[in-house]
Structure formats: C-alpha cells, structure tokens
Coordinates of all heavy atoms in Angstrom, one line a residue:
Q1138 N -40.5 38.9 12.5 CA -41.7 38.5 11.9 C -42.8 39.3 12.5 O -43.8 39.8 11.8 CB -42.0 37.0 12.1 CG -41.1 36.1 11.2 CD -41.3 34.7 11.5 OE1 -41.7 34.2 12.6 NE2 -40.9 33.8 10.6
Q1139 N -42.8 39.6 13.8 CA -43.8 40.3 14.5 C -43.8 41.8 14.0 O -44.9 42.3 13.7 CB -43.4 40.3 16.0 CG -44.5 41.0 16.9 CD -45.8 40.2 17.0 OE1 -45.7 38.9 17.0 NE2 -46.9 40.8 17.0
K1140 N -42.6 42.4 13.9 CA -42.6 43.8 13.5 C -43.0 44.0 12.0 O -43.7 44.9 11.7 CB -41.1 44.4 13.7 CG -40.7 44.5 15.1 CD -41.5 45.7 15.8 CE -41.0 45.9 17.2 NZ -42.0 46.7 17.9
F1141 N -42.6 43.0 11.2 CA -43.0 43.0 9.8 C -44.5 42.9 9.7 O -45.1 43.7 9.0 CB -42.3 41.8 9.1 CG -42.5 41.8 7.6 CD1 -41.5 42.4 6.8 CD2 -43.6 41.2 7.0 CE1 -41.6 42.4 5.4 CE2 -43.7 41.2 5.6 CZ -42.7 41.8 4.8
G1142 N -45.1 42.0 10.4 CA -46.5 41.8 10.4 C -47.2 43.1 10.9 O -48.3 43.5 10.3
E1143 N -46.7 43.7 12.0 CA -47.4 44.9 12.5 C -47.5 46.0 11.5 O -48.5 46.7 11.4 CB -46.6 45.4 13.7 CG -46.9 44.6 15.0 CD -46.0 45.0 16.1 OE1 -45.3 46.0 16.0 OE2 -46.0 44.3 17.2
R1144 N -46.4 46.1 10.7 CA -46.4 47.2 9.7 C -47.4 47.0 8.6 O -47.9 48.0 8.0 CB -45.0 47.2 9.0 CG -43.8 47.6 10.0 CD -43.4 49.0 9.9 NE -43.0 49.6 8.6 CZ -41.8 49.7 8.1 NH1 -40.8 49.3 8.9 NH2 -41.6 50.3 7.0
I1145 N -47.8 45.8 8.4 CA -48.9 45.6 7.3 C -50.2 45.1 7.9 O -51.1 44.8 7.1 CB -48.4 44.6 6.2 CG1 -48.0 43.2 6.8 CG2 -47.2 45.2 5.4 CD1 -47.8 42.1 5.8
G1146 N -50.3 45.0 9.2 CA -51.5 44.7 9.9 C -51.9 43.2 9.9 O -53.1 42.9 10.0
V1147 N -50.9 42.4 10.0 CA -51.1 40.9 10.2 C -50.3 40.5 11.3 O -49.3 41.1 11.7 CB -50.8 40.1 8.9 CG1 -51.7 40.5 7.7 CG2 -49.4 40.1 8.5
K1148 N -50.6 39.3 11.9 CA -49.9 38.8 13.0 C -48.5 38.2 12.6 O -48.4 37.7 11.5 CB -50.7 37.7 13.7 CG -52.0 38.2 14.4 CD -52.7 37.0 15.1 CE -53.9 37.3 15.8 NZ -54.4 38.6 16.1
G1149 N -47.6 38.2 13.6 CA -46.3 37.6 13.3 C -46.3 36.2 12.9 O -45.6 35.7 12.0
N1150 N -47.3 35.4 13.5 CA -47.3 34.0 13.2 C -47.9 33.8 11.8 O -47.6 32.8 11.1 CB -48.1 33.2 14.2 CG -49.5 33.5 14.3 OD1 -49.9 34.6 13.9 ND2 -50.4 32.6 14.9
T1151 N -48.6 34.7 11.2 CA -49.1 34.7 9.9 C -47.9 34.8 8.9 O -47.8 34.1 7.9 CB -50.1 35.8 9.6 OG1 -51.2 35.6 10.5 CG2 -50.6 35.7 8.1
I1152 N -47.0 35.7 9.3 CA -45.7 35.9 8.5 C -44.9 34.6 8.5 O -44.4 34.2 7.5 CB -44.9 37.1 9.0 CG1 -45.7 38.4 9.0 CG2 -43.6 37.2 8.2 CD1 -46.2 38.8 7.6
A1153 N -44.9 34.0 9.7 CA -44.1 32.7 9.8 C -44.7 31.7 8.9 O -44.0 30.9 8.2 CB -44.2 32.3 11.3
Q1154 N -46.1 31.6 8.8 CA -46.7 30.6 7.9 C -46.4 30.9 6.5 O -46.2 30.0 5.7 CB -48.2 30.7 8.1 CG -48.7 30.2 9.5 CD -48.3 28.8 9.9 OE1 -48.5 27.9 9.1 NE2 -47.7 28.6 11.0
Y1155 N -46.3 32.2 6.1 CA -45.9 32.6 4.7 C -44.5 32.1 4.4 O -44.2 31.5 3.4 CB -46.0 34.1 4.5 CG -47.4 34.7 4.6 CD1 -47.6 36.0 4.8 CD2 -48.6 33.9 4.4 CE1 -48.8 36.6 4.9 CE2 -49.8 34.5 4.4 CZ -50.0 35.9 4.7 OH -51.2 36.4 4.7
E1156 N -43.6 32.4 5.4 CA -42.2 32.1 5.2 C -41.9 30.6 5.1 O -41.0 30.1 4.4 CB -41.3 32.7 6.3 CG -41.3 34.2 6.1 CD -40.4 34.9 7.2 OE1 -39.7 34.2 8.0 OE2 -40.3 36.1 7.1
L1157 N -42.7 29.8 5.9 CA -42.6 28.4 5.8 C -43.2 27.7 4.6 O -43.1 26.6 4.3 CB -43.2 27.8 7.1 CG -42.5 28.0 8.4 CD1 -43.3 27.6 9.6 CD2 -41.1 27.3 8.4
G1158 N -44.0 28.5 3.9 CA -44.7 28.0 2.7 C -46.0 27.3 2.9 O -46.5 26.7 2.1
R1159 N -46.4 27.4 4.2 CA -47.7 26.7 4.5 C -48.9 27.5 4.0 O -49.9 26.9 3.7 CB -47.8 26.6 6.1 CG -46.8 25.6 6.6 CD -47.1 25.3 8.1 NE -46.1 24.4 8.6 CZ -45.6 24.5 9.8 NH1 -45.9 25.4 10.6 NH2 -44.7 23.6 10.2
N1160 N -48.8 28.8 4.0 CA -49.9 29.6 3.4 C -49.3 30.6 2.4 O -48.1 30.9 2.5 CB -50.5 30.5 4.5 CG -51.3 29.6 5.5 OD1 -51.7 28.5 5.2 ND2 -51.5 30.2 6.7
E1161 N -50.1 31.0 1.5 CA -49.7 31.9 0.4 C -50.5 33.2 0.7 O -51.7 33.2 0.9 CB -50.1 31.4 -0.9 CG -49.6 32.1 -2.1 CD -48.2 31.7 -2.5 OE1 -47.6 30.8 -1.9 OE2 -47.7 32.3 -3.4
P1162 N -49.7 34.4 0.8 CA -50.4 35.6 1.0 C -51.4 36.0 -0.1 O -51.1 35.7 -1.3 CB -49.3 36.7 1.1 CG -48.1 36.0 0.5 CD -48.3 34.6 0.6

C-alpha cells in the first residue's frame, strides 16, 4: 500500500482506506 501510494503521491494509509471501502478516491 505504501509503494502504491508513493507512485501516485498519496499516503499508504489512504490506499488502505480506499481498499477497505471507507473512502472513495
């Protein structure tokens, strides 16, 4: 999640929130 986020300029925990369905990109 960290590396994925770094590639697009967002934090790893933001990616985690997207994957959990808590937030929508």
Side-chain angles (χ1 to χ4, degrees):
Q1138 290 174 337
Q1139 187 69 36
K1140 292 288 182 196
F1141 188 92
E1143 284 173 8
R1144 296 260 309 260
I1145 59 168
V1147 300
K1148 292 185 182 345
N1150 64 339
T1151 302
I1152 301 300
Q1154 296 299 313
Y1155 294 158
E1156 289 183 3
L1157 290 169
R1159 292 191 181 139
N1160 292 336
E1161 192 84 0

